């Protein structure tokens, strides 16, 4: 058993994992329609590579962009592009944006793509290109392009790959069941990632209650006969699955504030991502499906489903027997950091690990907010060791400078402080607002700086032009004066 | 299907102010029961008076300030303040003492500063000190514990005593009152007796005063229950008891004739009540973990210093208010290091 470390604070939350953890993964039916939002991340908009009316095959790229944080999007089944139009996208804003709509034809014909016979013979750069082309992003929820994470730059020395199998949010079990069902795929994926990173140390971290997953991975590692890879159990403590928290727990290292894991020589990848990498490299399958936990007391049958990316949530709910009458809120992600959806005609995307149809008794519906009583419980729970009550005072007063002094931007919005707050203050909302205000202000300032530079430049040009004009007229006057002098001189001589 | 959208976290809050306050009230029961047993039902009358006055005061002020009344009263913070004040008062205090103190605590010490969460000083202790300074005579007349008293007061006698300030004809005032143990140690030391001599007096029990040690035990029990329920942290109570105990031990070691045993100080007066129920008031205490240890140590030391060298026999109220004064500074100097940042 490897030694593990602790991070400050954190919460032992009611897990609610039994709802879905011990059932086999169900293959979701092929939906009639697939929906693909073109906004991949904030500021990264893909361009469609297909037009309405065009037929597509499974695995065919339908949108891409040259933005360095973009990854291509693939059709998850064969069919016809019906339209490219505005639909509500799975995003906290609940706003509509451009989506590609595909009517599936039910034949599910796939493009055949090349597979790599032996990844160990491939250079890292070629693996990265293939991983990007397969559309792989972090499947743990952040959806950061995997190919970019695998390229930390020559100035950083990476020594450890950590596979994140710690599903610390309540309810979610998709990684747990994946590790149980396909331990070899996860292990092989990890080995490919280690090869791509050229690291000799790989650790798969699972939570201590995931006994079956731990066992399955252990024997898969044994079979692979690759002893550079180990699996460890870590205490189930929210948010231990947060990247910086996980690195702390597994290696004892603290990722610097404002830095990235690679700064301490570590790369983290989700176990689902590792499986997707294996499928892309060794089976030639781009990322078109994933395991999603459909759970909560608001749905009849809680289970994990292997679903095509782009499947409308309403389709999945129907296959789970529909909603219970008690359903109150539909959440994409977990109950701590997931966001509520305004309706269920919204597709799952690559980052969707969980659909939580929560009954009214499972979520906070009406909070009785009271003034902060300075109890300090929030500070005790904060995994980043911030002072949430101070952040609250200052963000509420709109004092953004003070917020920065109290390290607002180190806040990971995990919600621990808010859940323990006896005054039931919506703390995280205040932090989000303060963050976006700060960012908006910085943008304003930048704009103002650009405008000022432009203004200064104009002034300078005007001044220069004026000076030049003055110089010209001075010279002209001089010349005239000389001419006059010469004239009078010649006149006098005559 | 359509759903309402709310921001994360969605999980229900695990705690509420109402719940915290209710548990504090429950935890006070053993101590109050012991007080009633040893000193009579006056304490219950005081509690009732203080609570009614506090609730009426809070309701009127909330009305004046245009704040929701019933939702706020439900947080029970006014009740906690009133009860803490009432059990700190002499049990035979006339009714108007209790009422004035309670009103002062709620109106001046709490709402003038902005209400729950905004008051820099512990309202109950502000009320107590206000009474002590304004009405020193009524505030120092303590009843003798029942077992030492030759008279037994009936319920009617109690009501007459508190509301009309009348004793039964056959009883005179001095027969029922008696100096508190802390008080008598002070005055007797002044008369040149040594501590071991004083402690042979009939007013002394096993460790502290007769009756008093049991009351302290009751508060200790309730306090431990609060610790176990995680309603309060260990830092302030342990810090306070440690500060007081250390000071007392050092002085006792230097001269056991002049200074009482540390155990006497720990169980006498308001030590236990202060350590677990008063100094732990979150609103007015330091907030950081390390800060709270310092805060507790500071109050504990101040209690000892004021008891032994100050002008008043018990010192909890003054020590807590002085502690309140230093809390912001303690917090400033004990900020934790943010994860991933250099110190
Ligand atoms: S937990 Fe809530 S009430 Fe307690 S200090 Fe933090 S913000 Fe204030
Ligand atoms: S939301 Fe931010 S402040 Fe609150 S506990 Fe998490 S990291 Fe700390």
């Amino acid at each position: 058993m490897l030694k593990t470390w602790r991070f400050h604070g954190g919460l032992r939350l009611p897990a609610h994992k039994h709802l879905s953890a011990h059932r086999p993964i169900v293959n979701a039916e092929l939906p009639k329609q697939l929906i693909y939002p073109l906004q991949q991340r904030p500021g990264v908009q893909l361009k469609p590579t297909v037009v309405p009316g065009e037929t597509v095959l499974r695995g065919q790229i339908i949108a891409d962009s040259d933005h360095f944080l973009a990854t291509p999007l693939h059709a998850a089944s064969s069919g016809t592009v019906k339209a490219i139009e505005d639909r509500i996208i799975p995003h906290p804003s609940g706003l509509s944006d451009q989506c590609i709509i595909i009517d599936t034809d039910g034949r599910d014909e796939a493009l055949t793509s090349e597979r790599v016979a032996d990844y160990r013979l491939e250079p890292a750069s070629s693996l990265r290109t293939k991983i990007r082309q397969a559309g792989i992003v972090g499947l743990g929820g952040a959806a950061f392009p995997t190919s970019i994470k695998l390229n930390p730059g020559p100035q950083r020395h990476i020594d450890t790959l950590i596979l994140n199998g710690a599903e610390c949010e309540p309810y979610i079990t998709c990684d747990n069941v994946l590790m149980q069902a396909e331990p070899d795929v996860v292990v092989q994926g990890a080995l490919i990632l280690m090869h791509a990173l050229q690291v000799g140390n790989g650790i798969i971290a699972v939570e201590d209650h995931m006994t079956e997953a731990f066992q399955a991975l252990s024997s898969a590692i044994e079979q692979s006969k690759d002893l550079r890879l180990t699996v460890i159990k870590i205490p189930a403590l929210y948010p231990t699955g947060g990247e910086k928290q996980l690195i702390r727990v597994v290696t004892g290292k603290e990722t610097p504030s404002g830095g990235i894991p690679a700064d301490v020589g570590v790369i983290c990848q989700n176990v689902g991502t590792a499986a997707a990498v294996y499928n892309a490299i060794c089976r030639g399958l781009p990322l078109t499906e994933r395991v999603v936990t459909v759970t909560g007391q608001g749905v009849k049958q809680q289970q994990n489903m292997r679903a095509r990316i782009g499947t409308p949530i309403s389709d999945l709910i129907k296959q789970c027997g529909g909603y219970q009458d008690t359903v109150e809120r539909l959440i994409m992600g977990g109950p701590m950091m997931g966001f509520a959806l305004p309706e269920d005609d919204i597709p799952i995307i690559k980052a969707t690990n969980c659909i939580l149809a929560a009954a009214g008794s499972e979520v906070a519906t009406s909070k009785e907010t009271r003034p902060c009583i300075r109890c300090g419980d929030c500070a005790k729970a904060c995994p980043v060791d911030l002072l949430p009550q101070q952040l609250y005072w200052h963000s509420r007063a709109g004092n953004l400078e003070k917020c920065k002094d109290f390290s607002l931007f180190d806040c990971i919005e995990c919600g621990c402080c808010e859940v323990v707050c006896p005054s039931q203050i919506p703390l995280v909302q205040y932090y989000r607002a303060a963050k976006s205000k700060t960012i908006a202000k910085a943008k304003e300032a930048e704009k103002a700086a650009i405008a000022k530079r432009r203004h200064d430049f104009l002034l300078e040009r005007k001044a220069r032009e004026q000076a030049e004009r003055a110089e010209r007229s001075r010279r002209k006057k001089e010349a005239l004066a000389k001419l006059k002098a010469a004239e009078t001189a010649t006149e006098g001589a005559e | 299907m359509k759903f309402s959208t709310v921001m994360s976290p969605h999980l229900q809050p695990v705690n509420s102010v109402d719940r915290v306050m209710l548990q504090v009230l429950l935890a006070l029961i053993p101590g109050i029961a012991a007080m009633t047993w040893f000193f009579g039902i006056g304490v219950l009358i005081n509690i009732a008076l203080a609570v009614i006055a506090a609730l009426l005061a809070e309701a009127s002020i909330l009305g004046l300030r245009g704040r929701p009344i019933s939702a706020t009263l439900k947080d029970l913070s006014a009740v906690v303040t009133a009860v803490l004040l009432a059990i700190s008062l002499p049990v035979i205090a006339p009714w108007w003492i209790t009422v004035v103190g309670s009103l002062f605590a709620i109106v001046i010490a709490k709402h003038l500063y902005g209400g729950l969460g905004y008051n820099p000083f512990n309202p109950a202790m502000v009320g107590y000190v206000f009474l002590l300074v304004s009405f020193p005579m009524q505030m120092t007349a303590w009843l003798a514990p029942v077992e030492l008293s030759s008279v037994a007061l009936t319920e009617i006698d109690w009501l007459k005593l508190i509301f009309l300030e009348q004793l039964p004809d056959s009883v005179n005032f001095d027969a029922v009152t008696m100096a508190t143990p802390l008080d008598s140690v002070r005055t007797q030391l002044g008369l040149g007796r040594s501590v071991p001599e004083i402690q042979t007096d009939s007013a002394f029990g096993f460790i502290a005063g007769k009756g008093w040690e049991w009351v302290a035990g009751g508060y200790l029990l309730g306090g431990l229950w609060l610790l176990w329920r995680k309603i309060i942290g260990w830092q302030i109570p342990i810090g306070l008891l440690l500060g007081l105990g250390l000071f007392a031990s050092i002085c006792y070691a230097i001269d056991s004739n002049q200074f009482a045993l540390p155990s006497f100080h720990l169980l006498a007066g308001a030590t236990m009540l202060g350590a677990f129920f008063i100094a732990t008031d979150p609103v007015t205490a330091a907030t950081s973990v390390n800060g709270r240890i310092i805060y507790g140590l500071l109050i504990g030391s101040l209690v000892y210093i004021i008891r032994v060298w100050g002008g008043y026999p018990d010192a909890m109220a003054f020590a807590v208010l002085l502690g309140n004064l230093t809390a912001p500074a303690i917090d400033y100097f004990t900020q934790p290091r943010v994860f991933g940042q250099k110190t």
Side-chain angles (χ1 to χ4, degrees), chain B residues 135-184:
Chain B
F135 312 105
M137 210 183 69
Q138 286 84 349
M139 286 295 286
T140 45
W142 268 94
L143 196 70
V146 174
E147 52 183 309
L148 292 179
S149 169
S150 48
V151 282
L153 296 173
T154 64
E155 281 79 10
I156 303 290
D157 294 340
W158 269 110
L159 291 173
K160 274 195 185 152
L161 180 59
I162 287 177
F163 286 98
L164 305 172
E165 297 173 54
Q166 283 174 0
L167 276 166
D169 293 339
S170 56
V171 185
N172 78 0
F173 195 67
D174 290 338
V176 285
T177 59
M178 186 175 168
T180 65
L182 276 170
D183 233 345
S184 60

Side-chain angles (χ1 to χ4, degrees), chain A residues 371-378 389 392 417 420-423 425 427:
Chain A
C372 167
I373 56 167
R374 302 180 6 106
C375 64
D377 287 357
C378 48
Q389 79 271 33
Y392 162 64
C417 51
V420 297
C421 174
S423 292
I425 302 168
L427 295 167

Side-chain angles (χ1 to χ4, degrees), chain A residues 106-182:
Chain A
R107 288 198 291 274
D108 205 22
E109 284 170 293
L111 266 185
T112 45
S113 51
E114 54 151 347
R115 58 191 80 177
V116 175
D118 188 350
Y119 67 84
R120 277 163 293 208
L121 304 177
E122 293 281 321
S125 61
S126 135
L127 284 176
R128 284 199 299 269
T129 311
K130 288 195 163 68
I131 287 170
R132 182 191 181 275
Q133 275 318 99
I136 296 177
V137 297
L139 297 186
F144 192 81
T146 303
S147 50
I148 295 187
K149 249 192 181 178
L150 292 177
N151 192 10
Q155 75 280 15
R156 297 192 179 94
H157 174 73
I158 307 299
D159 51 43
T160 308
L161 168 77
I162 300 179
L163 275 208
N164 190 347
E167 274 173 318
C168 59
E169 277 232 33
Y171 292 95
I172 309 177
T173 56
C174 60
D175 288 343
N176 187 357
V177 293
L178 178 74
M179 290 186 286
Q180 290 178 47
E182 299 178 358

Side-chain angles (χ1 to χ4, degrees), chain B residues 120-122 125 279 281 284-285 295 299 319-328:
Chain B
F121 296 105
N122 186 312
M125 291 302 102
D281 164 36
T284 54
Y295 179 81
I299 293 180
V320 166
L321 293 181
L322 286 172
N324 292 166
L325 209 58
T326 63

Side-chain angles (χ1 to χ4, degrees), chain A residues 382-384 386 388 411-417 428 431:
Chain A
C382 178
V384 191
L386 299 174
C411 166
I412 56 172
E413 299 180 19
C414 64
C416 288
C417 51
V428 183
Y431 307 154

Side-chain angles (χ1 to χ4, degrees), chain A residues 188-206:
Chain A
Q188 291 303 322
L191 293 174
I192 300 174
L193 289 169
M194 285 168 70
H195 176 72
L197 284 165
Q198 293 295 310
V199 297
N201 186 20
I203 302 168
I204 309 179
V206 301

Side-chain angles (χ1 to χ4, degrees), chain B residues 39-101:
Chain B
F39 297 99
I41 61 161
V43 60
L44 299 180
I45 301 175
N46 285 352
I47 289 175
L49 280 171
V51 168
I52 293 169
L55 286 177
L56 287 177
E58 177 136 303
S60 336
I61 297 251
L62 288 169
L64 283 177
R65 291 176 67 198
R67 301 287 167 90
I69 295 177
S70 65
T72 309
L73 289 186
K74 241 179 55 203
D75 72 25
L76 296 180
S77 62
V79 178
V80 170
T81 298
V83 174
L84 288 177
L85 175 70
I87 57 182
S88 308
L89 297 177
V91 281
I92 54 171
W95 66 273
W96 52 269
I97 283 275
T98 314
V99 170
V100 167

